[in-house]
């Protein structure tokens, strides 16, 4: 399975972006998925995750109420709607996935994620 993230860009503080992650090779419905981010000199950190069903989600505390993760299995695509962006959100954003039978399981542990896409850069600056 391959993952391709897109939708990054440069915005001012308070702006919005929507990231997309397209799954190819297999149907995305078989995978729980998530978004991670990494800035230069910093460790990769969890941002948000969504279960196979799309009904269960998990967020990093600092993005709760600003970011929304969703998925459309018919389009083999996962999304991250990012609102009220802050300079601290500046990072490369990566989508990741793992195959699991439980359609409701969701996790922020990086050890569960087997497949990673290339990142898309998000820069928040005035």
């Amino acid at each position: 399975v391959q993952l391709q993230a897109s939708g990054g860009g440069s915005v001012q503080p308070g702006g919005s972006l929507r990231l997309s992650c397209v799954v190819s090779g297999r149907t995305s419905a078989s995978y729980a998925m998530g978004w991670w981010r990494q800035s230069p000199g910093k460790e990769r950190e969890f941002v948000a995750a969504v279960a196979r069903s799309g009904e269960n989600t998990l967020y990093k505390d600092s993005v709760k109420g600003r970011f929304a993760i969703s998925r459309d299995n018919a389009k083999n695509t996962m999304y991250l709607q990012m609102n009220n962006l802050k300079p601290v959100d500046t990072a490369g954003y990566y989508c990741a996935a793992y195959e699991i039978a439980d359609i409701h399981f969701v996790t922020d542990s990086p050890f569960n994620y087997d497949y990673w896409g290339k990142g898309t850069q998000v820069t928040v600056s005035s």
Side-chain angles (χ1 to χ4, degrees):
V1 63
Q2 294 184 328
L3 308 176
Q4 179 65 56
S6 63
S10 296
V11 297
Q12 294 185 339
S16 297
L17 285 172
R18 188 175 83 154
L19 305 184
S20 299
C21 176
V22 177
V23 178
S24 60
R26 288 191 63 184
T27 174
S28 66
S30 298
Y31 301 90
M33 301 183 70
W35 289 97
W36 297 73
R37 67 188 183 188
Q38 187 170 23
S39 302
K42 295 186 178 181
E43 292 187 357
R44 179 180 57 194
E45 63 177 9
F46 169 77
V47 177
V50 60
R52 285 179 55 196
S53 66
E55 297 177 353
N56 298 81
T57 58
L58 190 63
Y59 293 94
K60 176 181 174 63
D61 285 346
S62 64
V63 308
K64 287 180 181 178
R66 300 189 298 122
F67 290 11
I69 190 170
S70 62
R71 62 190 299 162
D72 185 342
N73 288 335
K75 295 182 179 180
N76 282 337
T77 303
M78 174 182 65
Y79 305 97
L80 185 67
Q81 178 66 44
M82 304 186 295
N83 299 325
N84 190 21
L85 282 160
K86 303 177 181 181
V88 295
D89 296 318
T90 296
Y93 282 71
Y94 300 82
C95 57
Y98 56 97
E99 192 169 12
I100 188 166
D102 186 344
I103 64 171
H104 299 300
F105 183 82
V106 63
T107 183
D108 60 355
S109 171
F111 301 106
N112 287 76
Y113 291 83
D114 297 316
Y115 305 99
W116 295 81
K118 293 182 179 180
T120 184
Q121 180 67 31
V122 172
T123 302
V124 185
S125 175
S126 55

